[in-house]
Amino acid sequence: MRVLLVDDNPRHRRAGVRQLEAFGHEVVALCDYGEARERARAESFDAALLDLLMPAEPTTLGPAARAEFVGREIGIGFPLVLELTRLGIPRVAVATDTGHHDHPMSAIVDWFRDTNLMVNGARVLILHAPMCEDGTKDWEGILARLLR
């Protein structure tokens, strides 16, 4: 499978590439959601694995909003699901390693526990990430759950 992996944490990205390539997947690993949108517009992917919380990018923000928001973690994983499924990626998972007591967006992930979602005709999974012994996300486990 061709997998788009988007996570701002370099340890999680490296682990994802290592884990997924070990199972024969081709992985495009990115740290920024703007680039992920552009790649999904230009290339075909079988699945996307996304971090929930990533730093806000400047995009079309004005100076005051840039000063306040750029670099702050936002729940970009949710709108990115809408965009990537709209662009035709048939399977998308959003996985957070942030505890539900630590961020409101992570607490909302509890709403979707064990729920199969269909968004724009794509299968979507939203979950608290299973973790590997080294403290990185278990991306292969996340993909396996998405493919069930």
Side-chain angles (χ1 to χ4, degrees):
M1 295 184 74
R2 190 150 197 270
V3 178
L4 176 63
L5 187 146
V6 187
D7 195 312
D8 61 300
N9 184 312
R11 287 187 64 236
H12 291 315
R13 278 195 317 277
R14 283 190 304 269
V17 169
R18 187 176 58 252
Q19 293 166 21
L20 296 166
E21 287 182 347
F23 282 87
H25 303 294
E26 178 186 344
V27 182
V28 174
L30 304 173
C31 65
D32 122 4
Y33 59 85
E35 185 179 359
R37 277 183 78 213
E38 294 308 313
R39 294 290 288 268
R41 285 180 178 159
E43 302 173 35
S44 177
F45 294 94
D46 301 302
L49 305 177
L50 314 174
D51 186 19
L52 172 63
L53 300 172
M54 290 185 266
E57 298 172 10
T59 58
T60 59
L61 297 176
R66 282 184 187 192
E68 184 175 348
F69 294 108
V70 171
R72 286 178 58 191
E73 283 195 327
I74 60 172
I76 193 64
F78 293 139
L80 195 53
V81 163
L82 299 174
E83 178 66 353
L84 296 181
T85 59
R86 186 185 70 81
L87 292 171
I89 298 179
R91 291 175 276 311
V92 180
V94 178
T96 184
D97 63 331
T98 303
H100 60 206
H101 297 296
D102 299 322
H103 195 285
M105 287 282 99
S106 187
I108 289 169
V109 169
D110 288 345
W111 298 359
F112 303 101
R113 192 173 292 156
D114 299 319
T115 303
N116 291 310
L117 301 171
M118 293 300 291
V119 178
N120 293 323
R123 183 163 193 282
V124 173
L125 178 65
I126 300 170
L127 71 158
H128 290 283
M131 303 299 285
C132 297
E133 287 183 17
D134 66 357
T136 59
K137 291 178 184 169
D138 179 1
W139 292 109
E140 178 55 32
I142 294 165
L143 182 60
R145 282 189 63 185
L146 182 61
L147 296 177
R148 283 189 207 156

